Amino acid sequence: LYFAHTNNVYFESVFVVEDGLVEWLTVCWLMATAALCLKRFVTLQGKRPKFFLAMLLVFSALFIFGAGEEISWGQRIFNVQSSDFFQTHNAQGETNLHNLVVSGKKVNKMIFGVALGIIIGIYTLLLPTLARKYKPVMKLVQKFAVPIPRGRHVVAYLLLFLLVEINPSPKRGELIEFGGTLIFFLIFLNPWNRRAFTIEQHNQSYRPHHGQRNQSRRNNNYRGKKPNTNHRHQNKTAES
């Protein structure tokens, strides 16, 4: 944001340039999130339903796809020439999908822009509230291995969009990608329903996380413990 306001030439030609610092940091966060999903897929074998584990693989594949698209699948790294199809139908002549032009419209704006923005908005603003309030929503979230954003993650996203909106550079979208992938990594690393993605102590089986209220009581009931009434009984005996 500082460079965009004070030295826009440096911001666009060095900071957010193709294969620059921001782009590679974006790739790193995407790959880190993919690796985290793969790690959980391995560590939770036999401790979560097969569908839950399969969704971890799906999420990992999606983040790997995003990283590959970000660097055009290594085209510039390995100096690979684009095919005739991508040279004709890609806005930048690169081997990727998000810069394709269909009927005069960029796929990046239609799918990776508007549609993805709506999905992220629902995920960060609506899903946390719905999952906490309605048990059927929580069950679906747990079944599909969806990490629920914490309040701090939502605030971070709102601040990110605010800061990007006041950025005067036309390349400010690169900052959305960088900041968004970082926040997504933090959400997957430490979600509100973190227990769903960790191995329970004392070999406890997986149970959906419905909130923090009455946590101690639920844990005691799950372990087969009964409330301690001996102390109350002793007090009544002493009073008699």
Side-chain angles (χ1 to χ4, degrees), residues 34-58 60 197:
L36 178 62
C37 292
L38 285 176
K39 178 179 179 294
R40 286 172 174 169
F41 171 79
V42 174
T43 57
L44 294 176
Q45 285 292 325
K47 299 178 176 63
R48 296 295 185 272
K50 291 182 179 180
F51 187 82
F52 184 99
L53 298 175
M55 287 305 303
L56 290 177
L57 289 181
V58 170
S60 181
F197 304 94

Side-chain angles (χ1 to χ4, degrees), residues 144-164:
F144 283 85
V146 178
I148 300 177
R150 294 179 182 269
R152 66 179 75 108
H153 301 138
V154 177
V155 172
Y157 247 117
L158 294 176
L159 288 176
L160 172 65
F161 279 105
L162 175 63
L163 292 175
V164 170

Side-chain angles (χ1 to χ4, degrees), residues 194-210:
R194 185 177 181 180
R195 285 203 309 156
F197 304 94
T198 57
I199 301 176
E200 299 291 341
Q201 296 180 355
H202 307 299
N203 296 323
Q204 294 179 16
S205 59
Y206 166 60
R207 300 177 67 220
H209 194 311
H210 295 307

Side-chain angles (χ1 to χ4, degrees), residues 6 13 15 17 19 25 33 38 55 59 62 64 67 77 81 84 115 123 128 157-158 162 165 172 209 217 219 223 240:
T6 60
S13 62
F15 199 63
V17 70
D19 296 326
L25 286 175
T33 311
L38 285 176
M55 287 305 303
F59 286 131
L62 288 175
I64 292 174
I77 299 174
Q81 185 70 20
D84 293 339
Y123 174 67
Y157 247 117
L158 294 176
L162 175 63
E165 281 300 314
R172 59 188 180 183
H209 194 311
R217 180 178 60 82
N219 286 342
R223 295 186 183 120
S240 299

